[in-house]
CSV table of all heavy atoms in Angstrom, one decimal:
chain,number,residue,atom,x,y,z
A,1,MET,N,195.8,151.6,104.2
A,1,MET,CA,196.1,150.4,105.1
A,1,MET,C,195.0,150.1,106.1
A,1,MET,O,194.8,148.9,106.4
A,1,MET,CB,197.4,150.7,105.8
A,1,MET,CG,198.6,150.8,104.9
A,1,MET,SD,200.1,151.3,105.7
A,1,MET,CE,200.4,150.0,106.9
A,2,GLY,N,194.4,151.1,106.6
A,2,GLY,CA,193.4,150.9,107.7
A,2,GLY,C,193.7,151.8,108.8
A,2,GLY,O,194.8,152.2,109.1
A,3,ASP,N,192.6,152.2,109.5
A,3,ASP,CA,192.8,153.2,110.6
A,3,ASP,C,192.4,152.7,112.0
A,3,ASP,O,192.3,153.5,112.9
A,3,ASP,CB,191.9,154.4,110.2
A,3,ASP,CG,190.4,154.1,110.1
A,3,ASP,OD1,190.1,152.9,110.2
A,3,ASP,OD2,189.6,155.0,109.8
A,4,SER,N,192.3,151.4,112.1
A,4,SER,CA,191.9,150.9,113.5
A,4,SER,C,193.0,149.9,113.9
A,4,SER,O,193.6,149.2,113.1
A,4,SER,CB,190.5,150.2,113.5
A,4,SER,OG,190.6,149.0,112.8
A,5,GLU,N,193.2,149.9,115.2
A,5,GLU,CA,194.1,148.9,115.8
A,5,GLU,C,193.8,147.5,115.4
A,5,GLU,O,194.6,146.6,115.1
A,5,GLU,CB,194.2,149.1,117.3
A,5,GLU,CG,195.3,148.2,117.9
A,5,GLU,CD,195.3,148.4,119.4
A,5,GLU,OE1,194.7,149.3,119.9
A,5,GLU,OE2,196.0,147.6,120.1
A,6,ALA,N,192.5,147.2,115.3
A,6,ALA,CA,192.0,145.8,115.0
A,6,ALA,C,192.4,145.4,113.6
A,6,ALA,O,192.9,144.3,113.4
A,6,ALA,CB,190.5,145.8,115.2
A,7,ILE,N,192.2,146.3,112.7
A,7,ILE,CA,192.6,146.0,111.3
A,7,ILE,C,194.1,145.8,111.2
A,7,ILE,O,194.6,144.9,110.6
A,7,ILE,CB,192.1,147.1,110.3
A,7,ILE,CG1,190.6,147.1,110.2
A,7,ILE,CG2,192.8,146.9,108.9
A,7,ILE,CD1,190.1,148.2,109.4
A,8,LEU,N,194.9,146.8,111.7
A,8,LEU,CA,196.3,146.7,111.6
A,8,LEU,C,196.9,145.4,112.3
A,8,LEU,O,197.8,144.8,111.8
A,8,LEU,CB,197.0,148.0,112.2
A,8,LEU,CG,196.6,149.3,111.5
A,8,LEU,CD1,197.2,150.5,112.3
A,8,LEU,CD2,197.0,149.3,110.1
A,9,THR,N,196.3,145.1,113.4
A,9,THR,CA,196.8,143.9,114.1
A,9,THR,C,196.4,142.6,113.3
A,9,THR,O,197.3,141.7,113.1
A,9,THR,CB,196.1,143.8,115.5
A,9,THR,OG1,196.5,144.9,116.3
A,9,THR,CG2,196.5,142.5,116.2
A,10,GLU,N,195.2,142.6,112.7
A,10,GLU,CA,194.8,141.4,112.0
A,10,GLU,C,195.7,141.2,110.7
A,10,GLU,O,196.0,140.1,110.4
A,10,GLU,CB,193.4,141.6,111.5
A,10,GLU,CG,192.8,140.5,110.6
A,10,GLU,CD,191.6,140.9,109.8
A,10,GLU,OE1,191.0,141.9,110.2
A,10,GLU,OE2,191.3,140.2,108.9
A,11,ARG,N,196.2,142.3,110.1
A,11,ARG,CA,197.0,142.2,108.9
A,11,ARG,C,198.5,142.2,109.2
A,11,ARG,O,199.3,142.2,108.3
A,11,ARG,CB,196.7,143.4,108.0
A,11,ARG,CG,195.2,143.7,107.8
A,11,ARG,CD,194.4,142.7,107.1
A,11,ARG,NE,193.0,142.9,107.2
A,11,ARG,CZ,192.4,143.8,106.4
A,11,ARG,NH1,193.0,144.5,105.5
A,11,ARG,NH2,191.1,144.0,106.5
A,12,SER,N,198.9,142.1,110.4
A,12,SER,CA,200.3,142.1,110.8
A,12,SER,C,200.8,140.6,110.9
A,12,SER,O,200.3,139.9,111.8
A,12,SER,CB,200.5,142.8,112.1
A,12,SER,OG,200.2,144.2,112.0
A,13,PRO,N,201.8,140.3,110.1
A,13,PRO,CA,202.3,138.9,110.2
A,13,PRO,C,202.9,138.5,111.5
A,13,PRO,O,202.9,137.3,111.9
A,13,PRO,CB,203.4,138.9,109.1
A,13,PRO,CG,203.0,139.9,108.1
A,13,PRO,CD,202.3,141.0,109.0
A,14,LEU,N,203.3,139.5,112.3
A,14,LEU,CA,203.9,139.2,113.6
A,14,LEU,C,203.0,138.4,114.5
A,14,LEU,O,203.4,137.5,115.2
A,14,LEU,CB,204.3,140.5,114.3
A,14,LEU,CG,204.8,140.4,115.7
A,14,LEU,CD1,206.2,139.7,115.7
A,14,LEU,CD2,205.0,141.8,116.4
A,15,TYR,N,201.7,138.7,114.4
A,15,TYR,CA,200.7,138.1,115.3
A,15,TYR,C,200.3,136.7,114.8
A,15,TYR,O,199.6,135.9,115.5
A,15,TYR,CB,199.5,138.9,115.4
A,15,TYR,CG,199.8,140.3,116.1
A,15,TYR,CD1,199.9,141.4,115.4
A,15,TYR,CD2,200.1,140.3,117.5
A,15,TYR,CE1,200.3,142.6,116.0
A,15,TYR,CE2,200.5,141.5,118.1
A,15,TYR,CZ,200.5,142.7,117.3
A,15,TYR,OH,200.9,143.8,117.9
A,16,LYS,N,200.8,136.3,113.6
A,16,LYS,CA,200.6,134.9,113.1
A,16,LYS,C,202.0,134.2,112.9
A,16,LYS,O,202.1,133.2,112.2
A,16,LYS,CB,199.9,135.0,111.8
A,16,LYS,CG,198.4,135.4,111.9
A,16,LYS,CD,197.6,134.3,112.6
A,16,LYS,CE,196.1,134.6,112.6
A,16,LYS,NZ,195.3,133.5,113.1
A,17,ALA,N,203.0,134.8,113.5
A,17,ALA,CA,204.4,134.2,113.4
A,17,ALA,C,204.4,132.8,113.8
A,17,ALA,O,205.2,132.0,113.2
A,17,ALA,CB,205.4,135.0,114.1
A,18,GLY,N,203.6,132.4,114.8
A,18,GLY,CA,203.6,131.0,115.2
A,18,GLY,C,203.1,130.0,114.2
A,18,GLY,O,203.4,128.8,114.3
A,19,ASP,N,202.4,130.5,113.1
A,19,ASP,CA,201.9,129.6,112.1
A,19,ASP,C,202.9,129.4,111.0
A,19,ASP,O,202.7,128.6,110.1
A,19,ASP,CB,200.7,130.2,111.5
A,19,ASP,CG,199.5,130.2,112.5
A,19,ASP,OD1,199.6,129.4,113.5
A,19,ASP,OD2,198.6,131.0,112.3
A,20,ILE,N,204.0,130.1,111.0
A,20,ILE,CA,205.0,130.0,109.9
A,20,ILE,C,205.7,128.6,110.0
A,20,ILE,O,206.2,128.2,111.0
A,20,ILE,CB,206.1,131.1,109.9
A,20,ILE,CG1,205.4,132.5,109.7
A,20,ILE,CG2,207.2,130.9,108.9
A,20,ILE,CD1,206.3,133.7,109.8
A,21,ALA,N,205.6,127.9,108.9
A,21,ALA,CA,206.2,126.5,108.9
A,21,ALA,C,207.2,126.3,107.8
A,21,ALA,O,208.0,125.3,107.8
A,21,ALA,CB,205.0,125.5,108.6
A,22,ARG,N,207.3,127.3,106.9
A,22,ARG,CA,208.3,127.1,105.8
A,22,ARG,C,209.5,128.0,106.0
A,22,ARG,O,209.5,129.0,106.7
A,22,ARG,CB,207.6,127.5,104.5
A,22,ARG,CG,206.4,126.6,104.1
A,22,ARG,CD,206.9,125.1,103.9
A,22,ARG,NE,205.8,124.2,103.9
A,22,ARG,CZ,205.0,123.9,102.8
A,22,ARG,NH1,205.2,124.6,101.7
A,22,ARG,NH2,204.1,123.0,102.9
A,23,PRO,N,210.7,127.6,105.5
A,23,PRO,CA,211.9,128.4,105.7
A,23,PRO,C,211.8,129.8,105.3
A,23,PRO,O,211.3,130.1,104.3
A,23,PRO,CB,213.0,127.6,104.9
A,23,PRO,CG,212.4,126.2,104.8
A,23,PRO,CD,210.9,126.4,104.7
A,24,LEU,N,212.4,130.7,106.1
A,24,LEU,CA,212.4,132.1,105.8
A,24,LEU,C,213.8,132.8,106.0
A,24,LEU,O,214.5,132.5,107.0
A,24,LEU,CB,211.4,132.8,106.8
A,24,LEU,CG,211.3,134.3,106.9
A,24,LEU,CD1,210.8,134.9,105.5
A,24,LEU,CD2,210.4,134.7,108.0
A,25,LEU,N,214.2,133.6,105.1
A,25,LEU,CA,215.4,134.4,105.2
A,25,LEU,C,215.0,135.9,105.3
A,25,LEU,O,214.2,136.4,104.5
A,25,LEU,CB,216.3,134.2,104.0
A,25,LEU,CG,217.5,135.1,103.9
A,25,LEU,CD1,218.5,134.8,105.0
A,25,LEU,CD2,218.2,134.9,102.5
A,26,ILE,N,215.5,136.6,106.3
A,26,ILE,CA,215.2,138.0,106.5
A,26,ILE,C,216.5,138.8,106.4
A,26,ILE,O,217.5,138.4,107.0
A,26,ILE,CB,214.5,138.2,107.9
A,26,ILE,CG1,213.1,137.6,107.9
A,26,ILE,CG2,214.4,139.7,108.2
A,26,ILE,CD1,212.4,137.7,109.2
A,27,ALA,N,216.5,139.9,105.7
A,27,ALA,CA,217.6,140.8,105.6
A,27,ALA,C,217.1,142.2,106.0
A,27,ALA,O,216.1,142.7,105.5
A,27,ALA,CB,218.2,140.8,104.3
């Protein structure tokens, strides 16, 4: 997956959540 905070942050959808524009269902 990666061993640095920078890589893990870059690949985490949470930090791009503001860009989500299409409908999403989470369970």
Side-chain angles (χ1 to χ4, degrees):
M1 296 172 62
D3 58 0
S4 72
E5 183 178 351
I7 291 177
L8 297 177
T9 298
E10 178 197 346
R11 314 294 171 79
S12 295
L14 176 64
Y15 297 104
K16 290 288 186 179
D19 293 339
I20 296 176
R22 299 295 166 83
L24 172 62
L25 172 64
I26 293 177

